[in-house]
Amino acid sequence: MRIVVALGGNALLHRGERPDAAVQQANIDRAVTALAALAHDNELVITPGNDPQIGLPAVESAADPALTTPYPLDVLGAQTQGVIGSLLARALRGALPGRQVAALVTHTVVRADDPAFERPTEFVGRVCSRETAHVLARKHGWHIAKDTTGWRRVVPSPMPEAVVETDTVHALLNSGTLVVCAGGGGVPVTADRDTGELTGVEAVIDKDLTAALLAEELKADLLLILTDVPNVYADFGTAHQQPVLDVTPAQLRDRNFPEGSMKPKTEAAARFVERTGGLAAIGALDAAYAIAHGTSGTLVRPELAIG
């Protein structure tokens, strides 16, 4: 079975943890233990998140007096892809002796006229006071907004249109290689219609939506979205909270999920199932094997498969 795994950035750096290399390595070792069981009998593509990881170099770049301007987000996205990809690839090689593993920096094409560029919504970087946020906004031309704990920079999050290196990923899979790619949703680029030339853009892409697109392009059998909760919940955080275990895309869309957390995951799962007729599942990282075998998590099936 061909499986595309969307691995949440918070699985690699838990909320509230220091972004130390040793901390992330320990979390990656835990993630790889869960994923190795899947890799034995399946073709595997892993797309890791990079939030909160991208926030660290973004802040460092903005504060570096040696720079005329901070490094753009496409460059920082490539940097975090390389770091996370290397850590995952080394851990996977150790857990799967003899298995070929490739960590690939990939680029994701977005539309230059995507409405998201006019409405930045994705938080990046550290929380700061309102006064500091406004100083940084004036200095760098940033957009800022208030989240639950303070003020942060917000950037566009356009829709992924294509993964440039899909054919390369496909060739690696066909050779028996486990592939780590599309980290953080991929390096955001636009493509010239005439020449195909790629140009980086100041944005971040939702990694779950990119994973769904990549799974579609690779003709995957399963899109597996791993996070820090055992399954999707209806009315999450309320007295009426109920687990959602078996659902169609339409049923998912009938429910309200938090925009910044579960909403992109349910939308990615729904899109993949609608466009391919395949299966998608959402659940906890430690239960990856059980989720893939239908005994844990939330399973999203085609409309005719339930009833």
Side-chain angles (χ1 to χ4, degrees):
M1 184 163 62
R2 178 169 290 181
I3 305 173
V4 172
V5 179
L7 181 62
N10 284 313
L12 308 181
L13 186 63
H14 302 161
R15 292 175 178 86
E17 286 185 325
R18 285 184 172 274
D20 296 339
V23 171
Q24 294 193 70
Q25 184 65 67
N27 290 334
I28 281 173
D29 290 343
R30 169 177 162 258
V32 165
T33 298
L35 295 172
L38 278 181
H40 284 296
D41 300 317
N42 300 290
E43 296 179 337
L44 217 60
V45 176
I46 301 170
T47 66
N50 71 345
D51 180 20
Q53 286 84 357
I54 197 171
L56 180 61
V59 169
E60 292 174 341
S61 178
D64 192 335
L67 298 176
T68 304
T69 58
Y71 273 71
L73 286 173
D74 58 300
V75 174
L76 297 178
Q79 178 182 330
T80 57
Q81 271 200 65
V83 170
I84 297 169
S86 175
L87 293 175
L88 277 169
R90 282 184 277 170
L92 286 162
R93 284 179 176 272
L96 300 163
R99 185 74 175 269
Q100 291 298 308
V101 180
L104 187 66
V105 174
T106 51
H107 302 78
T108 302
V109 176
V110 301
R111 292 192 349 255
D113 61 351
D114 191 301
F117 287 108
E118 300 298 324
R119 297 191 300 273
T121 58
E122 189 72 18
F123 289 105
V124 171
R126 67 175 54 153
V127 176
C128 56
S129 68
R130 185 176 185 275
E131 293 74 18
T132 300
H134 278 284
V135 169
L136 292 171
R138 287 194 298 268
K139 181 178 179 180
H140 300 300
W142 291 349
H143 296 273
I144 59 169
K146 193 176 188 301
D147 73 357
T148 56
T149 56
W151 291 79
R152 298 175 69 189
R153 180 187 179 190
V154 287
V155 301
S157 184
M159 292 296 299
E161 297 290 324
V163 177
V164 175
E165 293 82 4
T166 296
D167 288 346
T168 302
V169 176
H170 198 276
L172 287 167
L173 283 175
N174 287 342
S175 72
T177 302
L178 188 157
V179 184
V180 181
C181 66
V187 177
V189 295
T190 56
D192 186 276
R193 291 185 179 181
D194 298 321
T195 67
E197 181 180 355
L198 302 178
T199 302
V201 293
E202 193 78 344
V204 295
I205 304 172
D206 183 85
K207 72 96 176 44
D208 295 312
L209 294 177
T210 296
L213 176 63
L214 186 62
E216 179 183 349
E217 293 179 340
L218 293 172
K219 296 180 171 55
D221 302 290
L222 173 67
L223 171 64
L224 181 57
I225 300 175
L226 299 179
T227 183
D228 55 1
V229 293
N231 43 251
V232 175
Y233 288 94
D235 301 315
F236 181 73
T238 73
H240 306 291
Q241 176 177 304
Q242 292 290 331
V244 178
L245 303 179
D246 209 338
V247 68
T248 68
Q251 289 168 341
L252 268 184
R253 290 201 173 101
D254 281 342
R255 302 179 184 273
N256 293 320
F257 297 105
E259 287 288 343
S261 55
M262 191 54 72
K263 181 71 171 180
K265 295 173 175 53
T266 58
E267 179 59 27
R271 287 187 186 202
F272 173 72
V273 173
E274 285 173 338
R275 294 181 179 184
T276 69
L279 299 175
I282 303 171
L285 168 62
D286 291 337
Y289 186 87
I291 298 167
H293 289 80
T295 59
S296 184
T298 296
L299 186 63
V300 187
R301 304 173 182 266
E303 298 292 338
L304 298 179
I306 297 179

